[in-house]
Amino acid sequence: MAIGTEPGARPPEADGIPAGPGILSGPAGRDCLRRALSDGPEVIAECRDLTRRALRDWFGPDGDPERIPVADALLLVSEVVTNARTHGGAPYEIRLDRAGRTLRVRVSDTSPVPPRAHGPHRPDRASGHGLFLLRRLATRWGSVPRGSGGKTVWFEVEVPPMEVARAEAVPLPEAVPLPETASPGKPAPPLEAVPPPGSAPPTEAVPAPPEPVPPGTDAPSLSGTGPAGGS
């Protein structure tokens, strides 16, 4: 099924930022960076490096690649550029925009065919995860045709401040206390005896039978009774 521009999304040319190479000046709080691409296996690393530098420049410490939102953005750049090389003809331009805390990435290629899923997603496959990751990680994404032929696949990722990300983090479950162990100067707790494998289960002790009485000898008296035949 073809994936089109999602509802409410704007095409790349509708945000009022002029076109041109390098970092461009736009409205207050906005930045734009675009670069022409030459097709080749190195284009994926080139786009990732460009995005990594832009995130650092625009968001400062919040743009650290070790943070999950930033790592997600870099992963999606790799997936979209790879998809353009594999299914979209040839990628010829990448454009990055910052609007507040939002990063928008646009990759243009020479094929007018919008991205489509080739059957259900299969996690065990080595490739074919691009659209699945876009749906899972991007805030918004879509595909729009280019007037001169080809298309632009774009996505947005929010880069929140680190303080907000920490406040929204899911609390970890409470730690389960470990069994008591010995410490220096403190004896270890006694261990419960465990029978060896294959041994019979323990039974209660049975008292030994009384010794036999020799003939002609009076039997020992029982508790609370006198000799046999006594009154």
Side-chain angles (χ1 to χ4, degrees), residues 117-197:
H118 300 277
H121 178 248
R122 293 177 51 186
D124 57 333
R125 293 177 55 184
S127 60
H129 309 295
L131 295 185
F132 174 78
L133 292 173
L134 278 171
R135 293 167 180 155
R136 290 291 300 271
L137 302 180
T139 307
R140 296 194 307 162
W141 74 278
S143 174
V144 293
R146 300 287 297 219
S148 57
K151 66 180 178 297
T152 295
V153 178
W154 61 269
F155 67 86
E156 293 178 350
V157 174
E158 297 297 317
V159 185
M162 286 188 286
E163 292 76 9
V164 174
R166 282 196 292 265
E168 295 177 350
V170 178
L172 296 175
E174 294 185 3
V176 178
L178 297 176
E180 184 180 2
T181 58
S183 58
K186 178 181 178 182
L191 298 178
E192 184 178 352
V194 179

Side-chain angles (χ1 to χ4, degrees), residues 1-178:
M1 180 179 66
I3 307 298
T5 305
E6 295 196 345
R10 296 177 301 175
E13 289 75 19
D15 56 11
I17 299 180
I23 298 179
L24 310 174
S25 60
R30 301 181 70 111
D31 292 289
C32 177
L33 176 64
R34 63 192 304 175
R35 173 177 293 182
L37 303 174
S38 57
D39 189 24
E42 69 282 350
V43 70
I44 301 170
E46 177 186 357
C47 291
R48 280 180 62 93
D49 291 343
L50 183 70
T51 306
R52 184 184 296 108
R53 292 197 302 270
L55 285 163
R56 276 290 199 182
D57 291 343
W58 293 343
F59 296 100
D62 295 336
D64 188 337
E66 297 297 324
R67 298 191 63 213
I68 292 179
V70 179
D72 289 347
L74 296 175
L75 174 61
L76 291 178
V77 166
S78 297
E79 291 293 334
V80 171
V81 176
T82 299
N83 192 70
R85 293 196 67 236
T86 305
H87 306 290
Y92 63 85
E93 183 183 79
I94 183 172
R95 174 167 169 168
L96 311 174
D97 295 279
R98 178 185 69 89
R101 307 300 305 188
T102 301
L103 173 73
R104 174 181 279 189
V105 179
R106 306 163 185 178
V107 177
S108 300
D109 62 64
T110 56
S111 172
V113 180
R116 63 182 71 244
H118 300 277
H121 178 248
R122 293 177 51 186
D124 57 333
R125 293 177 55 184
S127 60
H129 309 295
L131 295 185
F132 174 78
L133 292 173
L134 278 171
R135 293 167 180 155
R136 290 291 300 271
L137 302 180
T139 307
R140 296 194 307 162
W141 74 278
S143 174
V144 293
R146 300 287 297 219
S148 57
K151 66 180 178 297
T152 295
V153 178
W154 61 269
F155 67 86
E156 293 178 350
V157 174
E158 297 297 317
V159 185
M162 286 188 286
E163 292 76 9
V164 174
R166 282 196 292 265
E168 295 177 350
V170 178
L172 296 175
E174 294 185 3
V176 178
L178 297 176

